[in-house]
Amino acid sequence: MNEPHSIAVIVAHPDDDAYGCAGSIALHENDPGFRFVLVLATDGAAGQISAGVPATPETLGAYRRVESANAWRAHGTIPVRHEWLGYDDGRLPQVGFEELVRRVLDILLTERPQVVATFGPDGITGHRDHIMIGRATDEAFERARHTPGPGLRRLVHGALRTSTFERWNVARRRAGLPGWDPTMEYHLRPVPDDQIDIEVDTSTVSSRIVAGLLEHRSQRDVLIDPSSSVRRWERVVSREPAVMVWPPRAAGQPLLHDLFEGL
């Protein structure tokens, strides 16, 4: 009998989880026995506060926890387990690596999801917290998969295609904006197109992805260009590319079109 589909998304901050997996999760929410576990290393308390948002630096972390819950209600799939590791935003590299690995490993061995999704070594934006939680999750997955039991069949990293990155930079420069510089922290970092292993068509649920993103009101100036229409952002999130870390895939293999394809 096939295992029910299950996924653990392990990221650094509230809102990291929406890009790259919210659509894929929505496409499977009605699968029999589907289980979605969300792990956030921090509450994002060091983030910006957009104008008009009734939060202060002292209350932002609590405010973003509420935003996270509201976002997943808007996405339409509420996590079965929504775990907060409770580390300080911006300070994950100061946490002992083994401690962070053990925290993630405990969740993986308890949940044993089929698919684990996290950040790759580029952190997508080079953010130090993204890179650290990705490294720790990779190591935890490697240890967990050697413990006999179900699940733990695929590890993926969210990614941005180089071709998409270049197209966005052309558009930014035409609009008089500086291009993204992948050598700088907080700037987008692309992955060569030929290294992308999975690309999910999420166009049928893109409105739900954007609805969830819009619930992260405190971060709206970072997440969504205020000059962009909702329709444009629905197009932006209509594909979710990823790199498959485990099991490794031979070069030149055809793209997979679903996080669970072949499992």
Side-chain angles (χ1 to χ4, degrees):
M1 182 177 178
N2 292 334
E3 299 172 12
H5 288 152
S6 56
I7 184 170
V9 177
I10 303 174
V11 290
H13 313 102
D15 73 35
D16 290 344
D17 45 30
Y19 283 110
C21 69
S24 295
I25 288 166
L27 292 173
H28 286 279
E29 64 186 359
N30 295 318
D31 293 357
F34 179 69
R35 186 172 179 85
F36 163 38
V37 173
L38 176 61
V39 180
L40 299 172
T42 85
D43 59 12
Q48 73 161 55
I49 303 174
S50 295
V53 171
T56 66
E58 292 72 30
T59 65
L60 181 59
Y63 192 89
R64 293 192 71 182
R65 286 178 181 245
V66 174
E67 287 183 327
S68 181
N70 290 342
W72 281 101
R73 277 194 288 270
H75 289 315
T77 311
I78 297 173
V80 174
R81 178 177 179 181
H82 194 158
E83 189 81 21
W84 299 85
L85 298 185
Y87 293 110
D88 290 339
D89 185 10
R91 298 185 62 82
L92 278 188
Q94 280 72 59
V95 177
F97 183 67
E98 281 298 317
E99 175 187 334
L100 193 53
V101 171
R102 284 195 301 272
R103 296 284 303 278
V104 175
L105 179 60
D106 181 65
I107 294 168
L108 294 184
L109 290 177
T110 300
E111 296 291 341
R112 301 197 70 93
Q114 283 185 315
V115 175
V116 176
T118 189
F119 288 109
D122 59 4
I124 295 183
T125 63
H127 193 301
R128 63 199 72 182
D129 285 353
H130 295 187
I131 293 169
M132 186 65 172
I133 193 63
R135 284 183 56 219
T137 300
D138 285 358
E139 178 62 25
F141 181 92
E142 178 65 16
R143 297 182 193 181
R145 72 180 183 83
H146 286 101
T147 301
L152 299 168
R153 298 180 64 189
R154 182 169 288 169
L155 173 65
V156 301
H157 291 162
L160 171 66
R161 281 180 173 273
T162 293
S163 58
T164 302
F165 173 85
E166 291 172 348
R167 188 172 68 251
W168 287 357
N169 259 358
V170 168
R172 286 178 64 84
R173 293 186 180 108
R174 284 177 178 164
L177 299 171
W180 298 109
D181 180 352
T183 67
M184 296 179 64
E185 189 174 18
Y186 307 118
H187 282 232
L188 293 173
R189 299 188 179 191
V191 171
D193 285 27
D194 62 4
Q195 293 180 22
I196 299 296
D197 299 301
I198 306 170
E199 186 163 83
V200 184
D201 180 350
T202 54
S203 57
T204 59
V205 292
S206 61
S207 62
R208 291 170 53 177
I209 300 172
V210 173
L213 286 168
L214 289 170
E215 290 296 328
H216 294 282
R217 301 168 194 269
S218 67
Q219 307 303 303
R220 64 174 175 256
D221 296 339
V222 173
L223 290 174
I224 297 180
D225 181 348
S227 66
S228 295
S229 67
V230 168
R231 186 176 296 276
R232 177 181 179 276
W233 276 95
E234 289 175 356
R235 290 196 301 271
V236 167
V237 301
S238 66
R239 295 288 188 277
E240 291 182 346
V243 174
M244 190 188 302
V245 183
W246 178 262
R249 301 186 81 224
Q253 291 293 303
L255 276 177
L256 300 180
H257 298 291
D258 188 277
L259 289 180
F260 298 99
E261 184 176 344
L263 296 183

